[in-house]
Amino acid sequence: MNGPFESLRCVVAQALLVAMVALFCGCVTTQTLGDRAYKSEEYPLALQYYEQAISEGSRDPELYYRAARAATNVGAFSQAERYYSRSLRHGGGVHVARALAQLYVQTNNFAQAVRVYQYLMRVEEDVQPVYSNMGAALMYSGRYLDAESFMIIAQQMKPTDPVPYINLGVLYDRHIRNRPRAVAFYNCFTELTGDASQKRQVENRLLEMANEGPIDASRVGLQCGEVYRLPEPVAVDLSEALKDYGGEVDLGFEVEAGEEPAEIEVERVVPAEEPPSEPEADESDAVEASPEAPGDAPGDAAGAGEEDAAESAPPAAGDAEGVASEEASDEAELAALKFYEDGRYDDALRALRALEARSEEGDRVLGLALYRTGRFEEATEWLELSVEQKPSPEVAGALLDAYRRLGQRDAMGPLCERFEGWPDYEAVLERCPGEGMSDE
């Protein structure tokens, strides 16, 4: 009796075993193998499994997202960008857009990062970190004044967050060169941060700055953990600040469009007694205005024999070199103007400073690039020259704002009076102090 039942029991056990193996094999998909490899930090192997799953026809946005992360870890950044984009096209969430923005920052593609942050500003529930990240991206792309606006808004949204403080400290320290503000924001960061490593780094930088000379940060008016208000009210048009970036990046799927960014007023108050602190002068060498005088034109009364001799004589080597030098200088200036148009203000400055002589347009762009990078004292020299040579609302507005930031209110009045009533200068004149305008 036991024989047949024992045989039947063996058959059932074998069938169950086969079923379990089949079930197990069915669950271990190629994507699962990729996940296991990723958790084991075997990123090249993980990427191979993910790519195999994609080639099998999977359109899972999470699969593309994981493939992008694996590609990032092996340094295949263009591949990672492609997979992030595909994830978004197939319904990937906001976390995918965040990762894509971080990839752009990691690869120094700050213009693209700004465009992704524009999208995130409309869809994130908590936009404060987005403003902070946007400010950092603008700073590293050379848009220092725009960066300041976004960072200040981030600080005002959450005054206890240490991130805007270190971002503003770096901005004022390394770029705008306002040492009192840099010290004030660095000090607040060390007070608010819980990151011991970053705190030590900032404390070391503060010691370096202290060794360079005394810095009075008392007039900055910054209270750690409280809303910071800049000295004078200025309307920040966010859409204007971001127009050069071409709008939001195409994330590959439709989202309900929100309202156009409105003008956001960064809160500012006038200090009770002291005027706003002046930015420190830029440490780079000042540009001396030394354009060479053009050579005299040949006289019209030259004799025919002299002209024939001139035509028959071989061209002098010096003349040929001079023509080539002028052409090279023109090309270099055009490249500098293109840098400025692309928002690469530091590159434009380097190219323009290297030129021995510039055109009026080159001088104009030099002044504007100095202004855009926060070098206000040096910028005023070139902007004043451009106002005389080639006035425009852009130049006049930059010069007026540079005067304001340097505390040179006496210089603002004459500039406002000069352009009062000129067409297209209405927006510029709105920045003029009331007492600086004439009563006529």
Side-chain angles (χ1 to χ4, degrees):
M1 293 290 292
N2 290 336
F5 282 109
E6 189 69 28
S7 177
L8 179 61
R9 191 180 298 118
C10 290
V11 171
V12 171
Q14 289 176 354
L16 288 173
L17 180 61
V18 171
M20 290 176 64
V21 171
L23 180 63
F24 177 76
C25 292
C27 290
V28 182
T29 62
T30 309
Q31 182 172 338
T32 303
L33 292 173
D35 292 342
R36 289 179 180 175
Y38 188 92
K39 288 179 182 178
S40 301
E41 298 184 359
E42 299 178 74
Y43 301 120
L45 180 61
L47 184 57
Q48 289 179 16
Y49 280 127
Y50 290 142
E51 289 179 330
Q52 182 178 343
I54 292 170
S55 66
E56 292 169 358
S58 175
R59 295 296 178 265
D60 180 6
E62 193 64 19
L63 170 61
Y64 285 116
Y65 171 66
R66 294 174 186 176
R69 291 195 306 166
T72 301
N73 279 288
V74 299
F77 298 123
S78 60
Q79 200 171 359
E81 179 186 18
R82 183 168 67 252
Y83 285 138
Y84 279 133
S85 299
R86 289 185 183 179
S87 175
L88 290 165
R89 290 181 186 278
H90 290 89
V94 174
H95 69 288
V96 181
R98 290 194 206 108
L100 178 59
Q102 183 59 39
L103 174 69
Y104 285 139
V105 171
Q106 181 180 349
T107 55
N108 296 329
N109 194 343
F110 299 109
Q112 285 292 86
V114 166
R115 297 178 68 192
V116 178
Y117 285 134
Q118 285 180 263
Y119 160 74
L120 288 172
M121 286 171 67
R122 292 198 295 107
V123 299
E124 288 276 25
E125 293 184 6
D126 181 10
V127 297
Q128 188 267 350
V130 182
Y131 274 86
S132 188
N133 291 335
M134 176 79 87
L138 287 166
M139 175 177 68
Y140 290 120
S141 61
R143 303 291 294 269
Y144 303 135
L145 301 184
D146 297 334
E148 180 189 34
S149 298
F150 282 91
M151 291 178 185
I152 289 293
I153 292 171
Q155 192 276 341
Q156 292 174 348
M157 286 179 172
K158 191 175 180 181
T160 57
D161 180 11
V163 175
Y165 291 92
I166 191 170
N167 285 346
L168 283 160
V170 171
L171 177 69
Y172 290 129
D173 179 15
R174 302 296 187 184
H175 304 290
I176 293 182
R177 309 298 177 94
N178 187 323
R179 288 158 56 84
R181 284 190 188 174
V183 167
F185 279 98
Y186 279 154
N187 280 329
C188 280
F189 174 78
T190 61
E191 181 177 319
L192 296 172
T193 186
D195 188 321
S197 175
Q198 284 194 338
K199 182 177 180 179
R200 281 195 301 272
Q201 292 179 23
V202 173
E203 287 174 341
N204 289 337
R205 176 56 187 155
L206 285 169
L207 285 174
E208 291 175 358
M209 296 176 73
N211 291 333
E212 293 169 1
I215 302 171
D216 180 13
S218 61
R219 295 189 299 171
V220 176
L222 175 64
Q223 300 295 323
C224 304
E226 298 181 11
V227 171
Y228 177 62
R229 306 175 191 276
L230 289 171
E232 294 184 7
V234 167
V236 180
D237 186 347
L238 300 184
S239 58
E240 178 69 18
L242 300 174
K243 68 177 183 179
D244 293 340
Y245 290 92
E248 295 171 11
V249 68
D250 179 13
L251 298 181
F253 60 97
E254 293 296 327
V255 228
E256 184 176 352
E259 295 180 357
E260 288 294 321
E263 287 194 354
I264 295 182
E265 184 161 311
V266 180
E267 300 180 35
R268 304 171 184 237
V269 293
V270 178
E273 297 179 358
E274 299 287 349
S277 59
E278 292 187 10
E280 292 289 317
D282 179 32
E283 296 176 0
S284 59
D285 295 335
V287 178
E288 296 183 3
S290 57
E292 297 180 4
D296 295 333
D300 294 333
E306 295 176 357
E307 292 180 359
D308 293 340
E311 289 178 1
S312 60
D319 293 342
E321 291 175 0
V323 171
S325 176
E326 288 180 7
E327 291 177 352
S329 179
D330 290 343
E331 291 179 2
E333 183 169 302
L334 288 174
L337 301 185
K338 184 64 167 60
F339 285 146
Y340 181 83
E341 291 173 1
D342 293 342
R344 297 168 58 183
Y345 302 128
D346 281 323
D347 290 336
L349 274 180
R350 280 190 287 269
L352 290 169
R353 288 183 192 275
L355 297 177
E356 294 183 1
R358 290 176 296 272
S359 65
E360 290 184 1
E361 179 65 9
D363 289 341
R364 183 187 76 87
V365 171
L366 175 63
L368 290 171
L370 288 165
Y371 165 75
R372 285 287 186 179
T373 55
R375 298 168 169 88
F376 303 118
E377 188 171 352
E378 187 179 354
T380 56
E381 302 176 16
W382 295 98
L383 293 172
E384 287 169 354
L385 177 65
S386 294
V387 161
E388 297 301 323
Q389 292 179 339
K390 197 173 183 179
S392 70
E394 182 183 17
V395 171
L399 180 57
L400 192 65
D401 190 54
Y403 284 150
R404 180 187 65 79
R405 290 174 178 271
L406 293 170
Q408 299 177 5
R409 299 180 67 86
D410 292 342
M412 297 173 70
L415 184 65
C416 293
E417 290 176 8
R418 173 178 174 181
F419 293 106
E420 187 176 8
W422 283 39
D424 301 326
Y425 282 76
E426 293 83 359
V428 174
L429 297 176
E430 289 176 1
R431 305 182 188 178
C432 293
E435 64 272 17
M437 297 296 294
S438 64
D439 299 328
E440 298 179 0

